[in-house]
Amino acid sequence: GLAALDGHLGGGLRPGSVTEIVGASAVGKTELCLAVAAEALVTGHARGAGVVYVDTECGFKATRLLQLVGRSLQRRGVQADPHELLYRVTVLAADEWEGYEQCLSRIRALFQDDTRLATGLLVVDSIAAPARAHFERARLSERQRLLSSHAALFKSLAEEEGLVVLVTNQVQGSSGSDDGGLRELSRVGEPEDEMSACLGTSWAHCVNVRLVLHSAEQAAVGATFAPPRRQLRVAKANFCSAASFDLDATLEGLVQAAG
């Protein structure tokens, strides 16, 4: 739903690939995931497209998704019941590693057995939360091995089912020890930001597209209220160049900044 970003990516998030959104807490990663889910439901409503949403940070809000679906229907002039579209969303929740792995088993079963949905989007928000909480530094190699197997599952589903797979990742200070010093391809902001994506280099190589979302300053003009500004940067993609897009955080969601 962000025209400039969609155009730069050649038509939006690509089916058959894994896209990652990296950003700090409360910067808007979940809001962006919900917006993508809303667009997937609306643009795919005629073919019954559904969404599978794995929530590991208790961030999924059905009421917010309903609002975004309603606004997308209105903006696109599509006649459909937003409540009916929400029935096409399967939410799998987990707040720890074992529950997260059970969610992945459920996902495998959904695509093997469930013919109720023609799922077009899989969201994992976030992959970092259960992984960072469960594995201490001494077990980083085990964590990376398991994350690589999960990435292989996501890629397999994306390619075989024609899915868009969207995952979120957290950030840490570059002096942190979470990733055992593996930070090539993991820098997420400008040098002064001193922030790196979590989960290390091996995970960074697993994703096809990395988008970085961070806060950006915006000065108010006179007495005019300036909505919170975000910047979304294409940090990794083998089919397009790096680029940055200014967004405003509004009641309508994250929208492309004017001018």
Side-chain angles (χ1 to χ4, degrees):
L2 299 171
L5 174 65
D6 289 346
H8 187 76
L9 295 176
L13 302 186
R14 293 192 169 193
S17 64
V18 179
T19 299
E20 176 193 50
I21 303 172
V22 178
S25 176
V27 77
K29 300 187 300 296
T30 296
E31 178 76 3
L32 196 52
C33 287
L34 291 174
V36 172
E39 291 299 309
L41 292 169
V42 171
T43 58
H45 83 283
R47 63 179 184 276
V51 173
V52 176
Y53 198 112
V54 180
D55 178 20
T56 69
E57 296 192 22
C58 301
F60 178 86
K61 297 291 186 291
T63 53
R64 182 56 177 157
L65 180 56
L66 183 64
Q67 290 175 340
L68 294 171
V69 167
R71 287 166 181 160
S72 179
L73 288 169
Q74 184 177 33
R75 184 176 67 252
R76 294 177 176 275
V78 174
Q79 298 297 316
D81 182 347
H83 294 86
E84 290 293 328
L85 294 186
L86 252 65
Y87 281 116
R88 300 176 183 175
V89 181
T90 300
V91 180
L92 305 176
D95 59 4
E96 36 74 36
W97 181 260
E98 288 77 12
Y100 168 68
E101 290 205 306
Q102 290 173 8
C103 288
L104 297 188
S105 297
R106 288 280 311 280
I107 289 171
R108 292 186 184 94
L110 281 171
F111 284 99
Q112 289 173 353
D113 303 325
D114 190 0
T115 57
R116 179 176 59 86
L117 294 176
T119 303
L121 172 67
L122 168 63
V123 178
V124 181
D125 182 24
S126 75
I127 194 165
R132 297 182 78 194
H134 185 70
F135 294 96
E136 64 273 13
R137 182 175 172 80
R139 299 175 63 197
L140 284 181
S141 60
E142 179 187 359
R143 186 188 75 178
Q144 297 309 103
R145 177 180 59 80
L146 290 170
L147 287 175
S148 293
S149 70
H150 297 168
L153 169 64
F154 297 149
K155 287 187 174 182
S156 174
L157 288 174
E159 293 170 359
E160 294 174 8
E161 305 291 337
L163 289 179
V164 171
V165 177
L166 180 63
V167 302
T168 67
N169 192 1
Q170 300 170 346
V171 298
Q172 64 179 10
S174 57
S175 60
S177 59
D178 174 74
D179 298 322
L182 299 176
R183 293 196 176 82
E184 182 186 359
L185 295 183
S186 295
R187 178 73 66 184
V188 301
E190 298 304 319
E192 63 269 25
D193 289 344
E194 295 295 330
M195 300 298 288
S196 295
C198 294
L199 305 184
T201 308
S202 58
W203 169 256
H205 285 300
C206 289
V207 301
N208 302 108
V209 178
R210 169 169 279 180
L211 305 176
V212 178
L213 183 65
H214 60 90
S215 299
E217 292 185 1
Q218 179 184 198
V221 179
T224 303
F225 170 74
R229 175 65 54 88
R230 300 288 187 262
Q231 188 174 81
L232 186 63
R233 183 164 63 88
V234 180
K236 174 189 175 182
N238 62 8
F239 53 85
C240 66
S241 60
S244 295
F245 303 90
D246 288 335
L247 310 175
D248 287 334
T250 73
L251 293 177
E252 302 293 322
L254 290 171
V255 301
Q256 193 167 310

